[in-house]
Amino acid sequence: MVEVDGRRLPAVLREQKDVVVEKWVRAAADSLRGRVTAAELDREFREFYAAVLPLVGDNGRDITDERYLEVRSMLAEMSRTRARGGYTPSETASSVFALKRVVFELVGDDADAGLFRELMDFSSLLDALGLVTFETFARAREEIITEQSEQLLELTTPVVKLWEGVLAVPLVGTLDSARTQVVMEKLLESLVETGAEHAIIDITGVLAVDTQVAQHLLKTAFAARLMGAECTISGIRPQIAQTIVALGIEFGDITTKASLADALRHALRREGVEIVNAGKGR
């Protein structure tokens, strides 16, 4: 146990830095179950310790102050790294709270009244920093989820070249505003890159068509037209056709077909391609 003899907490923490960090690394390594090496934790914790030392004596009530900028940045980086590594919020914040336990074990029993008050302020400071860790971890997880959602939209919205000059976008699942925007952007980019004059939006795999979905489809079709491509909507199954009629939705002069094959056949005929043994066209 450290003999404090009335020395203030900042002085104790500076003098016992190596001891504190060593115990802190061991405590945190146990909670992280070996997924971070001791060397990595030692490097990370020494940098954090150096940033926290000038703040010892504060109670963390004004965590937004500019003096906390460096330590907040470190916590944000640590939280992002942990979030991307699949750690839980508790595992991430425990790294901060472990420091409090180590310091209390080191000097708590020998603390006089003055030093004990400093320990209470130090505890409040680390509690505030722990909350920052939770908040930054939550934001990092939200960013990751958003990125993954955008990547998933990209993967589930392919633009396929069916024939020279004919592109198709086979849609599966639910069509909402965000996905429609991705569909439109990818289709228009592909029309520019390929110079295709025919675009097919196939909704065979779309779960349901309501007024909103129909409006999304029409916007995409009109956007393709503005790029000089004739747009066909395929996959109009009987039940979807009934729904469209019941809702009073009108596609105007946009060509619709029952299947992707029918839509491709239509596009090829417009291109002047002779179709042999292709079955009865619509």
Side-chain angles (χ1 to χ4, degrees):
M1 187 63 63
V2 176
E3 295 294 336
V4 296
D5 296 331
R7 290 175 293 175
R8 299 302 90 196
L9 186 58
V12 174
L13 295 180
R14 281 193 295 270
E15 293 173 7
Q16 300 296 322
K17 179 181 69 174
D18 291 336
V19 174
V20 171
V21 171
E22 181 181 345
K23 291 178 177 293
W24 186 16
V25 167
R26 286 203 301 268
D30 290 339
S31 66
L32 295 176
R33 297 191 291 274
R35 286 183 288 173
V36 182
T37 66
E40 291 173 328
L41 287 175
D42 186 85
R43 181 176 62 255
E44 185 178 75
F45 286 179
R46 286 185 183 277
E47 292 177 358
F48 183 77
Y49 195 86
V52 167
L53 272 180
L55 303 173
V56 175
D58 291 350
N59 53 26
R61 291 175 185 169
D62 192 15
I63 201 74
T64 60
D65 189 87
E66 187 175 345
R67 293 178 300 112
Y68 289 85
L69 180 60
E70 182 181 5
V71 71
R72 288 202 314 268
S73 298
M74 287 183 176
L75 289 175
E77 180 61 30
M78 181 179 73
S79 296
R80 281 193 291 268
T81 301
R82 297 283 196 273
R84 293 185 181 279
Y87 293 82
T88 66
S90 297
E91 288 173 333
T92 303
S94 66
S95 294
V96 176
F97 295 136
L99 175 59
K100 179 167 65 173
R101 294 195 302 272
V102 169
V103 172
F104 267 74
E105 290 173 1
L106 190 67
V107 300
D109 291 343
D110 293 334
D112 57 20
L115 186 55
F116 186 77
R117 284 194 296 271
E118 291 187 37
L119 282 172
M120 291 300 99
D121 284 341
F122 183 69
S123 175
S124 297
L125 170 64
L126 291 183
D127 286 342
L129 295 179
L131 289 176
V132 170
T133 305
F134 270 109
E135 292 170 358
T136 53
F137 184 94
R139 285 197 296 270
R141 286 295 296 270
E142 289 174 1
E143 292 172 2
I144 293 170
I145 292 171
T146 299
E147 291 173 5
Q148 292 175 339
S149 297
E150 292 174 351
Q151 292 169 359
L152 184 60
L153 280 176
E154 291 283 341
L155 292 173
T156 58
T157 313
V159 178
V160 182
K161 182 179 179 181
L162 298 181
W163 199 272
E164 190 65 38
V166 183
L167 300 179
V169 184
L171 299 177
V172 178
T174 302
L175 191 63
D176 56 17
S177 298
R179 192 175 181 199
T180 301
Q181 186 64 31
V182 173
V183 170
M184 190 181 300
E185 290 175 358
K186 292 191 69 174
L187 178 57
L188 297 184
E189 289 173 1
S190 297
L191 288 173
V192 171
E193 292 172 0
T194 63
E197 297 182 352
H198 296 274
I200 301 172
I201 302 174
D202 183 69
I203 62 170
T204 302
V206 174
L207 300 177
V209 173
D210 55 19
T211 304
Q212 186 179 32
V213 170
Q215 290 299 322
H216 292 328
L217 291 172
L218 290 173
K219 288 179 182 178
T220 305
F222 288 142
R225 276 189 169 186
L226 290 175
M227 298 299 295
E230 180 191 5
C231 192
T232 303
I233 297 177
S234 66
I236 308 293
R237 304 187 303 278
Q239 60 270 35
I240 288 183
Q242 292 174 16
T243 301
I244 290 173
V245 171
L247 293 173
I249 299 169
E250 296 183 2
F251 283 91
D253 59 349
I254 295 176
T255 303
T256 60
K257 294 293 181 180
S259 68
L260 179 58
D262 293 335
L264 176 58
R265 187 179 296 112
H266 170 76
L268 293 179
R269 283 173 176 162
R270 295 297 295 267
E271 285 286 306
V273 177
E274 183 179 355
I275 303 174
V276 180
N277 296 327
K280 183 180 178 181
R282 289 180 173 84

